[in-house]
């Protein structure tokens, strides 16, 4: 399909990009906060894929049910990738089959190729997430293809998935740095994101796979993407390897991003990114947003209980700050 100017594309006609560079010099930080943001929970997928132990199916379902009880409504529950590459998530069909079907909940699952789409359609998930990296070496190690080969696969699966009624999300990994190549040009990531949106992805999650981003870098990358894409098509997926995830998310919030990926108790990583640690902990995100008067629809105390379930099923201490402090410690 020939490329065309993005803003004339039918998928984006209803969306209004914010004017780039529109600032109000009289306003300080956090003086124009949204009433509510969306939290996209990734612990059952990004979290469990990186655990040394393979968690039994029923315990994964227990975690997802605890997340539902806490109020999470967008949850990445499984991965239709090769079970030889990620054995920890080899029971994707069984997990999805055991979940309560609820009209107010969107379950999502990773999908790398045609076989993944077939499995997702058969399992009946309402959403899939395609993923690729902004750096060649990580992409090769993660999906055994070049970036162009991966995009060609997605050209074959995203439009049919959308026609079949699925929502399709896209991840651009290693956007802030690559474990093999070091610095990454975010303009390459933007080109990839534009391709994914043209194919039919409703949202692109800008991903700091190995947790190297800092706030000024996050500002620059988010602004670069906002020049071409409306805010509602963008999300931030920050890993907290170096303790900068929350600071980066707050920069995104200030700039107009309204979806943030997070993982309960900080569970997570990427098996093909050495040194990648957990995602931003959902409790840390929710605690901070609620303290700033931004709603999430999540009950922090119930979320704390989900964090306890996460810790119990993986059998090791998890690093989330609020998880470690204990949400109950907030009571006087
Ligand atoms: P390949 O070996 O090049 O695949 O892997 P292939 O097409 O040559 O197939 C080889 C075998 O795998 C065949 O089986 C296929 O049927 C099977 P055989 O004939 O040898 O018995 N196969 C599959 N089986 C089940 N489901 C499938 C599937 N596809 C092929 N969908 C492939 C290519 C993409 C499959 C592989 O590299 C793979 O599964 N990679 C996934 C890696 C992964 O999941 N990484 C972690 C997720 S990404 C991430 O964490 C980042 C993120 O969090 C954002 C961020 O933080 O940056 C999203
Ligand atoms: Mg990740």
């Amino acid at each position: 399909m020939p490329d065309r100017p993005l803003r004339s594309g039918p998928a984006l006609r209803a969306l209004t990009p914010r004017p780039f560079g529109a600032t109000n010099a009289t306003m300080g930080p956090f003086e124009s906060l949204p009433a509510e943001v969306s939290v996209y929970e990734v612990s059952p997928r990004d979290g469990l894929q990186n655990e040394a132990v393979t968690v039994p199916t029923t315990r994964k379902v227990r975690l997802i049910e605890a997340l539902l009880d806490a109020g999470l409504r967008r949850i990445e529950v499984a991965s239709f990738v090769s079970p030889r590459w990620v054995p920890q998530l080899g029971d994707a069909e069984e997990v999805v089959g055991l979940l309560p079907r609820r009209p107010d909940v969107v379950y999502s699952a990773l999908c790398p190729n045609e076989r993944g789409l077939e499995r997702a359609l058969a399992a009946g998930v309402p959403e899939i997430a395609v993923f690729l990296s902004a750096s060649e070496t990580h992409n090769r190690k993660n999906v055994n293809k070049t970036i162009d080969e991966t995009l060609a696969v997605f050209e074959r699966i995203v439009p049919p998935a959308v026609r079949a009624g699925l929502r399709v999300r896209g991840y651009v990994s290693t956007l802030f740095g690559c474990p093999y190549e070091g610095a990454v040009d975010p303009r390459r990531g933007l080109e990839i994101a534009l391709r994914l949106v043209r194919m039919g992805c409703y949202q692109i999650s800008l991903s700091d796979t190995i947790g190297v981003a800092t706030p000024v870098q996050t500002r620059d990358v988010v602004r670069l993407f906002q020049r071409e894409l409306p805010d509602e098509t963008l999300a931030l997926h920050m890993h907290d390897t170096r303790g900068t995830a929350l600071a980066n998310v707050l920069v995104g919030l200030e700039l107009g991003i309204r979806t943030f990926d997070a993982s309960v108790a900080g569970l997570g990583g990427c098996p093909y990114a050495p040194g990648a640690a957990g995602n931003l902990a959902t409790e840390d995100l929710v605690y901070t947003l609620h303290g700033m008067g931004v709603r999430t629809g999540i009950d922090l105390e119930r979320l704390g209980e989900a964090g306890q379930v996460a810790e119990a099923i993986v059998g090791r201490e998890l690093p989330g700050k609020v998880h470690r402090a204990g949400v109950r410690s907030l009571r006087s």
Side-chain angles (χ1 to χ4, degrees):
M1 194 176 79
D3 281 0
R4 60 177 174 234
L6 184 74
R7 285 189 187 153
S8 65
L12 295 181
R13 207 165 278 150
L15 303 170
T16 321
R18 73 164 31 196
F20 178 68
T23 56
N24 183 342
T26 64
M27 282 171 62
F30 307 125
E31 284 180 13
S32 175
L33 288 170
E36 185 156 15
V37 302
S38 178
V39 178
Y40 180 94
E41 174 68 31
V42 296
S43 57
R45 194 280 304 169
D46 208 350
L48 296 182
Q49 75 181 12
N50 208 38
E51 287 300 315
V53 294
T54 297
V55 172
T57 309
T58 51
R59 293 193 185 169
K60 291 177 180 170
V61 172
R62 197 165 134 236
L63 171 62
I64 296 163
E65 287 176 343
L67 295 167
L68 292 171
D69 288 344
L72 269 310
R73 294 294 175 262
R74 299 170 75 192
I75 310 178
E76 206 163 85
V77 293
S79 195
F80 293 109
V81 300
S82 162
R84 275 205 273 136
W85 284 63
V86 184
Q88 296 92 328
L89 302 184
D91 57 351
E93 281 82 356
E94 289 82 358
V95 171
V96 173
L98 286 168
L99 293 178
R101 300 292 155 129
R102 294 175 40 164
D104 59 333
V105 174
V106 179
Y107 299 124
S108 191
L110 281 198
C111 175
N113 55 17
E114 288 93 335
R115 176 90 189 93
L117 176 57
E118 278 168 28
R119 293 175 63 198
L121 287 169
V125 284
E127 178 171 308
I128 58 168
V130 296
F131 58 100
L132 80 169
S133 316
S135 57
E136 284 293 351
T137 315
H138 183 263
N139 200 64
R140 167 71 69 186
K141 297 218 182 244
N142 203 30
V143 293
N144 202 23
K145 288 183 182 57
T146 65
I147 291 173
D148 283 346
E149 287 165 353
T150 311
L151 286 167
V153 172
F154 294 165
E155 293 280 5
R156 297 198 295 274
I157 65 169
V158 175
V162 173
R163 283 197 297 277
L166 296 186
R167 284 155 55 101
V168 185
R169 198 171 196 246
Y171 285 100
V172 180
S173 293
T174 64
L175 182 60
F176 298 84
C178 172
Y180 307 102
E181 297 177 18
V184 170
D185 184 348
R187 289 170 301 185
R188 181 73 176 117
L190 177 59
E191 285 167 16
I192 292 169
L194 293 175
R195 290 274 302 272
L196 293 176
V197 171
R198 285 194 194 102
M199 288 177 207
C201 290
Y202 77 92
Q203 188 167 67
I204 305 300
S205 195
L206 311 184
S207 301
D208 184 15
T209 316
I210 52 168
V212 285
T214 54
V216 169
Q217 182 189 15
T218 304
R219 178 199 65 193
D220 293 346
V221 170
V222 167
R223 280 185 171 165
L224 177 75
F225 277 67
Q226 285 177 319
R227 284 185 209 169
E228 300 290 339
L229 288 164
D231 293 346
E232 47 278 50
T233 61
L234 301 173
L236 282 178
H237 176 104
M238 295 311 206
H239 284 258
D240 203 26
T241 321
R242 291 165 184 79
T244 54
L246 185 57
N248 297 331
V249 157
L250 292 178
V251 169
L253 179 74
E254 181 74 353
L255 289 173
I257 304 299
R258 297 292 177 257
T259 297
F260 301 103
D261 300 0
S263 176
V264 78
L267 193 66
C270 174
Y272 297 98
N279 300 80
L280 171 60
T282 316
E283 297 94 321
D284 298 4
L285 175 66
V286 169
Y287 170 79
T288 305
L289 289 170
H290 288 188
M292 296 168 80
V294 180
R295 292 195 305 271
T296 61
I298 295 165
D299 178 327
L300 186 57
E301 192 154 324
R302 304 299 295 272
L303 186 61
E305 290 164 14
Q308 298 299 333
V309 172
E311 194 160 274
I313 69 170
V314 295
R316 68 178 178 95
E317 286 192 355
L318 293 174
K321 298 280 193 300
V322 172
H323 168 74
R324 298 239 55 80
V327 287
R328 285 171 203 274
S329 69
L330 301 174
R331 292 212 190 110
S332 55

